[in-house]
């Protein structure tokens, strides 16, 4: 099963074989893979080598470890194209998942100067500040901190945001969402966000900031999102 003459390191070969077995469904999602001792015997290699392969698969998000219990097969990441301007609700539904939200803050405040500038607000203009945890099939996916100008959406109530913000804007307010600019950065989860996402720190996250515009180039939202890096990968089409 292993090619000891190959220039490919043994731990990479084991990794590849385990990966294939996961993809074929030999080890279904959520089940434990064989123990290090079993794998050591099966492959006839040292425990160190097996551990290296498993650590790489854990770091790639294919497996996760649970202290004292073993190593398990992770759910595949959601693959999210970065090309279209879609909502979280649309994205999850398109994958056959059920989206849900938990609003943990809904306040009216005067934003800092960066957000005011992005939304082209005057010095004292107010925004709604909405903090939502977003779930797919009841699993935490992201935290979104959204700033919406009060002037543009007067009388907004939290119950209108139980579902999709974009559906509310397009169907209730009859406004046309047109385009957005987005920035993405990698980072480590903050303690409070780890609690909200129910993940253990340290954990990798993707931070995305989006400024979205209505037709006529009118900015209507600034969103700072924290996405679980173990649940997401982003894809783009590129041309030359
Ligand atoms: C996405 C957007 C977010 C937008 C939300 C609306 C990113 C990084 N963010 O999560 O800016 O506010 O969708 O979703 O894609 P909703 O209509 O389901 O509330």
């Amino acid at each position: 099963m292993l090619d000891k003459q190959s220039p490919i390191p043994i731990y990479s070969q084991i990794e590849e074989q385990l990966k294939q077995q996961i993809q074929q469904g030999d080890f279904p999602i959520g089940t434990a893979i064989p123990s290090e001792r079993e794998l050591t015997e099966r492959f006839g290699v040292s425990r160190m080598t097996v551990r290296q392969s498993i650590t790489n698969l854990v770091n790639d998000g294919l497996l996760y470890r649970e202290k004292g219990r073993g190593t398990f097969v992770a759910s595949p990441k959601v693959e999210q194209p970065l090309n279209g301007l879609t909502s979280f609700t649309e994205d999850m539904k398109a994958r056959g998942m059920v989206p849900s939200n938990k609003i943990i803050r809904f306040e009216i405040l005067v934003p800092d100067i960066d957000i005011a500038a992005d939304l082209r607000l005057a010095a004292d203009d107010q925004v709604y500040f909405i903090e939502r945890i977003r779930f797919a099939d009841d699993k935490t996916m992201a935290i979104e901190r959204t700033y919406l100008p009060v002037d543009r959406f007067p009388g907004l109530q939290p119950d209108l945001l139980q579902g999709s913000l974009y559906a509310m804007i397009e169907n209730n307010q009859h406004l046309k969402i047109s385009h957005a600019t987005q920035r993405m950065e990698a980072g480590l989860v903050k303690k409070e966000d780890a609690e909200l996402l129910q993940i253990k720190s340290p954990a990798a996250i993707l931070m995305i900031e989006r400024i979205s515009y209505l037709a006529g180039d009118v900015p209507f939202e600034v969103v700072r999102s924290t996405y679980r890096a173990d649940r997401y990968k982003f894809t783009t089409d590129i041309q030359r």
Side-chain angles (χ1 to χ4, degrees), residues 119-133:
L119 291 170
R120 297 188 206 134
L121 299 178
D124 295 331
D125 285 350
Q126 293 177 316
V127 293
Y128 299 100
F129 172 56
I130 304 147
E131 201 171 355
R132 295 188 291 174
I133 307 176

Side-chain angles (χ1 to χ4, degrees), residues 80-82 84-92 99 101 132 134 142-146 148 161-169 177 180-184 206-212 220-227 232 234:
Q80 176 63 46
L82 280 173
L85 174 48
T86 50
S87 72
F88 180 84
T89 304
E90 290 163 341
D91 293 339
M92 295 310 119
N101 306 317
R132 295 188 291 174
R134 319 233 42 184
I143 305 167
E144 284 184 354
R145 298 182 169 97
T146 307
L148 304 172
L161 294 171
Q162 293 300 344
S164 162
L165 169 67
Y166 283 9
M168 188 279 290
I169 291 173
I177 298 172
T181 56
Q182 215 162 256
R183 269 202 293 253
M184 181 158 37
L206 295 157
M207 299 177 286
I208 304 181
E209 180 167 303
R210 182 186 282 190
I211 308 171
S212 319
F220 75 92
E221 70 164 0
V222 172
V223 188
R224 292 180 177 164
S225 313
T226 300
Y227 278 77
Y232 271 93
F234 292 91

